[in-house]
Amino acid sequence: MASSQNTSKKQIIILGGSYGGISVAHQLLKHAIPDLPDNTSYEVVLISPSTQVMCRPACPRAMISDRILPQEKLFVDIVKQFDQYPTSNFKFIHGTATKLDHQEHVVSIRRHEGTDETLHYYALVIATGATSKSPLLGLSGDASELRARWADFRKALSQAKSIVIGGGGPSGVETAGELGEYLNGRAGWFSSKLENPKVPITVINAQDTILPQLRPKIGKQAEHRLAKVGVTVINNVKVQSVVPDNVGLTVDQLTSAATISLSSDQKLTADLYIPAFGTTPNTSFVPQPLLASDGRVKTNATTLRVDDAGPFVYALGDASNAARPAIHNILSQIPVLAANIKRDLLLDSSAKSQATAQDVVFKEDTRETQLVPIGTKKGVGAMMGYQVPSWVVWLIKGRDYWLWTTGRLWSGKQWN
Ligand SMILES: Cc1cc2nc3c(=O)[nH]c(=O)nc-3n(C[C@H](O)[C@H](O)[C@H](O)COP(=O)(O)OP(=O)(O)OC[C@H]3O[C@@H](n4cnc5c(N)ncnc54)[C@H](O)[C@@H]3O)c2cc1C
């Protein structure tokens, strides 16, 4: 039976403990709660299915071997990051939101142990992100589950003689590049491709070139770099079906051999198939009228409020339709969202006069920006509309897949 919480506190409930949720929690605890009158009456409640957070972009490398990316550097305990704040202002719940009733200001949750509960929120932030098709490419439950999947994958990888990857976007290309370099090594300077790779890897891409968010010339360069680690790209073709069903999609079928039928009528067989295209927003608990047609939460793209849900409801990150799903967009959304929550809280308090006159406004940077490592040494990409050389991609992303940035994010130092 579901229980409901008994608290006199004004709870600011944040759903999702990753880039969006953790950062908003830090921002509010540092810059909003201390400025509110009677600030011990506010409690930030962070709800996450995982007790640990991780640098998700690192999955294509981290899933292969600890030798190239050690897990102890990757997974970070969430609760420890919030030790620095008064215990009266912060609570972590290991659980998942199962239903939102925005009319009643109530969110239902299932705790990790399996008990159900309803929480009344004063303010609500939806930061539940999106799930990749492949269970190897992100957290969908606890971090321990992801580590167990990687262990299974590594065992299968040691026996694999061929790999097919569905999707020529950044996840597919990065996964192919990491696997190619790890399993096959890299062709020499004067060879355009690696002949007879130990484990041939094929990327199936539905468009003319891979990496469709970058100019085609960069996609072509990525293709050449992939060829050097034993990866072949088939363009303008879609994965039509995979037999047996669900290969690569479910934990049970994660490492089964597969026959992949393509829209070109070609059939490929592979010891491992990794579907690396498309994501599903984690919004099944959100009422349909609050969702856009793509399943993301309909969010006011300037204020980051969910206007249709009534006051004090906000969304950001991959679960929201305010911007293209990317970490640089989330990092620009966080100060805006936190400032607007603070304003709303002040306006609803005895310190109305302290509130800023206006909302802070979010504006998405739509310039061509994407960095795509191809193995541990090379890469392609563009930043703020300018193509960057391979060594810049390596320096910023490829050498450790952003780990140099995540320590400050998880600890909140980024927002001091
Ligand atoms: C392989 C890969 C590489 C990437 N590389 C880059 C990159 O280089 N640069 C870049 O900008 N972006 C990159 N991205 C995208 C980036 O990872 C996402 O934009 C970012 O993780 C989104 O952050 P988020 O906080 O919105 O959600 P997520 O990181 O998806 O986290 C959401 C959290 O909410 C939890 N959750 C889900 N449902 C519920 C629920 N009902 N209740 C409570 N919690 C819930 C999830 O378990 C998860 O922990 C990459 C993505 C992938 C898959």
Side-chain angles (χ1 to χ4, degrees):
M1 212 184 87
S3 64
S4 61
Q5 105 271 35
N6 182 10
T7 174
S8 55
K9 296 225 178 204
K10 291 177 175 162
Q11 293 196 312
I12 303 161
I13 295 187
I14 300 175
L15 304 176
S18 183
Y19 289 88
I22 287 189
S23 293
V24 169
H26 280 300
Q27 274 271 359
L28 294 175
L29 288 159
K30 280 181 199 295
H31 303 299
I33 307 288
D35 293 349
L36 292 165
D38 190 16
N39 55 32
T40 51
S41 67
Y42 294 87
E43 187 175 48
V44 172
V45 182
L46 181 62
I47 301 181
S48 166
S50 174
T51 56
Q52 292 188 310
V53 61
M54 55 129 16
C55 172
R56 186 171 179 188
C59 288
R61 184 173 299 164
M63 69 191 199
I64 296 175
S65 164
D66 272 29
R67 192 167 56 70
I68 45 177
L69 206 152
Q71 289 183 36
E72 77 262 16
K73 283 195 182 166
L74 190 62
F75 291 96
V76 169
D77 288 332
I78 296 175
V79 170
K80 276 198 195 133
Q81 313 304 310
F82 291 89
D83 280 353
Q84 57 192 301
Y85 305 108
T87 49
S88 59
N89 288 143
F90 179 76
K91 182 158 83 185
F92 176 79
I93 296 181
H94 190 196
T96 305
T98 52
K99 189 172 171 219
L100 166 63
D101 182 342
H102 59 289
Q103 321 278 8
E104 298 296 325
H105 295 206
V106 161
V107 63
S108 307
I109 61 159
R110 173 155 299 165
R111 287 197 183 242
H112 185 69
E113 317 83 76
T115 52
D116 292 324
E117 211 172 305
T118 55
L119 304 176
H120 186 272
Y121 61 83
Y122 174 57
L124 180 75
V125 179
I126 301 172
T128 47
T131 301
S132 302
K133 282 203 185 344
S134 167
L136 299 167
L137 297 175
L139 290 168
S140 48
D142 195 60
S144 54
E145 294 165 33
L146 181 60
R147 284 199 291 266
R149 282 178 231 143
W150 286 352
D152 291 343
F153 178 74
R154 289 172 182 192
K155 235 183 259 164
L157 192 58
S158 63
Q159 307 296 320
K161 301 274 181 295
S162 58
I163 300 174
V164 170
I165 295 172
S171 298
V173 170
E174 287 171 1
T175 302
E178 295 298 330
L179 285 169
E181 186 188 89
Y182 182 78
L183 297 168
N184 300 322
R186 190 176 285 277
W189 271 92
F190 300 106
S191 315
S192 61
K193 64 185 276 205
L194 189 73
E195 300 294 345
N196 304 316
K198 193 171 138 231
V199 182
I201 300 170
T202 309
V203 170
I204 308 302
N205 177 45
Q207 267 106 357
D208 291 342
T209 48
I210 52 176
L211 304 174
Q213 280 178 14
L214 294 168
R215 67 195 84 170
K217 185 182 132 204
I218 302 181
K220 280 286 159 212
Q221 285 169 357
E223 241 180 82
H224 293 308
R225 293 204 180 279
L226 285 173
K228 287 200 151 214
V229 294
V231 177
T232 307
V233 175
I234 307 182
N235 286 318
N236 290 312
V237 162
K238 285 188 176 169
V239 172
Q240 209 82 300
S241 62
V242 179
V243 175
D245 282 347
N246 292 326
V247 173
L249 292 171
T250 59
V251 176
D252 294 348
Q253 294 280 34
L254 191 62
T255 57
S256 307
T259 302
I260 300 114
S261 301
L262 307 180
S263 54
S264 56
D265 289 340
Q266 198 182 350
K267 277 191 201 308
L268 303 176
T269 53
D271 291 332
L272 286 170
Y273 170 65
I274 303 173
F277 54 94
T279 56
T280 308
N282 299 320
T283 54
S284 57
F285 64 94
V286 178
Q288 202 62 35
L290 302 185
L291 298 179
S293 56
D294 62 5
R296 297 188 292 166
V297 178
K298 260 190 272 169
T299 312
N300 182 319
T302 54
T303 66
L304 305 177
R305 294 193 184 92
V306 182
D307 292 333
D308 294 348
F312 300 108
V313 182
Y314 316 81
L316 81 164
D318 289 13
S320 151
N321 75 343
R324 170 165 89 88
I327 293 162
H328 61 268
N329 281 330
I330 300 176
L331 297 184
S332 330
Q333 287 175 342
I334 287 154
V336 174
L337 181 60
N340 291 341
I341 296 178
K342 179 175 178 177
R343 180 167 185 264
D344 292 346
L345 298 181
L346 279 166
L347 286 173
D348 198 44
S349 75
S350 59
K352 286 188 182 46
S353 60
Q354 308 292 314
T356 51
Q358 283 177 341
D359 285 328
V360 182
V361 166
F362 170 70
K363 191 165 183 328
E364 182 179 357
D365 183 345
T366 54
R367 290 174 293 180
E368 181 192 32
T369 296
Q370 194 166 69
L371 301 180
V372 184
I374 296 178
T376 56
K377 297 178 184 70
K378 305 283 178 185
V380 299
M383 285 175 79
M384 293 176 268
Y386 296 98
Q387 183 172 5
V388 293
S390 178
W391 68 267
V392 173
V393 179
W394 171 83
L395 187 70
I396 300 178
K397 180 168 172 186
R399 72 193 153 106
D400 71 354
Y401 267 102
W402 300 119
L403 282 185
W404 65 278
T405 62
T406 47
R408 287 173 59 77
L409 266 183
W410 308 147
S411 70
K413 283 201 181 105
Q414 174 102 2
W415 312 111
N416 279 348

